[in-house]
Amino acid sequence: MKELATEIVRLQAELDREIEQRRRALGWSIKQRMIRFEEGIVAQQRELRISVTRLLKQASPATIITAPIIYSMIVPLALLDAWASVFQAICFRAYGIPRVNRSDYIAIDRGRLAYLNWIEALNCAYCGYGNGVIAYVREISSRTEQYWCPIKHAMRISHPHKRYYEFLEFGDAEGYRARLESFRDGLRDPADERQTVEAGTLPKT
């Protein structure tokens, strides 16, 4: 599993390089968290933007009918966002666990794309927020799980969080009693936490 985790890290670095090359090919880059477009790119994008009227005419009846239901999810998402932030502000401080940086997970930047009309930009902002909240809460819950119950499940689960593969095996009673504090210490150490985020694995114990 450690060899596979190492290979995942290598492939992620390779993927990041490919993404950066694709960005340059499309005429944009990120510098100090600011998106910069090459000269003339924004004008080219505006030429591909369609009007809101045309967009609504092209929309299917199912799209119009389900839109209110889709947007109603903003209420539970906002509540989840707020409650998770309160949870980690209180509990993580009590446990000595570094808090999750919300801005690392929630990005609302697609509105800078000139080829989107305001409805498309709003849709993209909503999707970015919704998926970002889920990722943000997932990281909070994974740190909570590592602190309280770093044990693998008996059954296979799909797409577990990045800490899961280093958890103790199901049924390893001695390991649980012997290593629980080391899992907690790994969360409290900022250096170990950075290693976990970058490599996708827990520090060795």
Side-chain angles (χ1 to χ4, degrees):
M1 286 191 296
K2 296 183 188 304
E3 290 175 357
L4 288 172
T6 301
E7 181 64 11
I8 289 171
V9 173
R10 187 191 67 78
L11 291 172
Q12 182 63 54
E14 185 176 334
L15 177 61
D16 290 342
R17 288 193 295 271
E18 291 295 327
I19 290 173
E20 182 59 32
Q21 291 178 6
R22 185 60 176 165
R23 287 174 178 173
R24 289 196 294 268
L26 291 172
W28 67 276
S29 61
I30 297 179
K31 294 181 180 179
Q32 297 178 345
R33 299 184 68 86
M34 295 293 293
I35 302 171
R36 302 176 187 275
F37 291 97
E38 294 180 4
E39 186 176 353
I41 294 295
V42 174
Q44 292 176 14
Q45 291 182 353
R46 285 200 184 101
E47 293 178 359
L48 296 173
R49 183 167 56 193
I50 64 174
S51 68
V52 171
T53 301
R54 180 182 171 189
L55 179 71
L56 293 176
K57 286 182 178 179
Q58 293 175 343
S60 67
T63 300
I64 303 298
I65 293 171
T66 58
I69 299 173
I70 293 172
Y71 275 101
S72 70
M73 281 294 295
I74 191 64
V75 176
L77 284 170
L79 288 173
L80 180 61
D81 183 7
W83 201 259
S85 297
V86 171
F87 165 79
Q88 72 159 348
I90 297 172
C91 297
F92 280 15
R93 184 176 283 113
Y95 306 151
I97 301 173
R99 279 174 286 175
V100 179
N101 188 353
R102 184 175 175 275
S103 63
D104 289 343
Y105 296 88
I106 300 176
I108 305 176
D109 54 8
R110 295 163 179 161
R112 298 270 328 261
L113 296 170
Y115 55 84
L116 301 178
N117 59 46
W118 71 265
I119 289 183
E120 292 171 323
L122 178 63
N123 289 341
C124 286
Y126 180 55
C127 290
Y129 175 73
N131 284 281
V133 167
I134 297 301
Y136 168 60
V137 173
R138 179 179 169 88
E139 177 60 17
I140 292 174
S141 63
S142 76
R143 295 188 189 189
T144 304
E145 185 175 31
Q146 181 178 329
Y147 188 91
W148 288 108
C149 190
I151 302 171
K152 294 175 183 172
H153 295 284
M155 304 299 179
R156 182 181 180 277
I157 59 173
S158 298
H159 307 295
H161 55 74
K162 62 178 178 287
R163 305 168 189 281
Y164 181 80
Y165 293 107
E166 291 290 331
F167 281 4
L168 297 161
E169 295 298 329
F170 186 88
D172 183 4
E174 292 183 1
Y176 177 76
R177 294 303 173 196
R179 296 184 56 199
L180 179 58
E181 283 304 318
S182 68
F183 278 92
R184 293 177 174 179
D185 290 341
L187 282 171
R188 295 188 184 105
D189 187 338
D192 286 348
E193 185 57 32
R194 283 195 299 274
Q195 178 182 338
T196 301
V197 171
E198 293 171 1
T201 59
L202 293 172
K204 306 297 185 295
T205 55

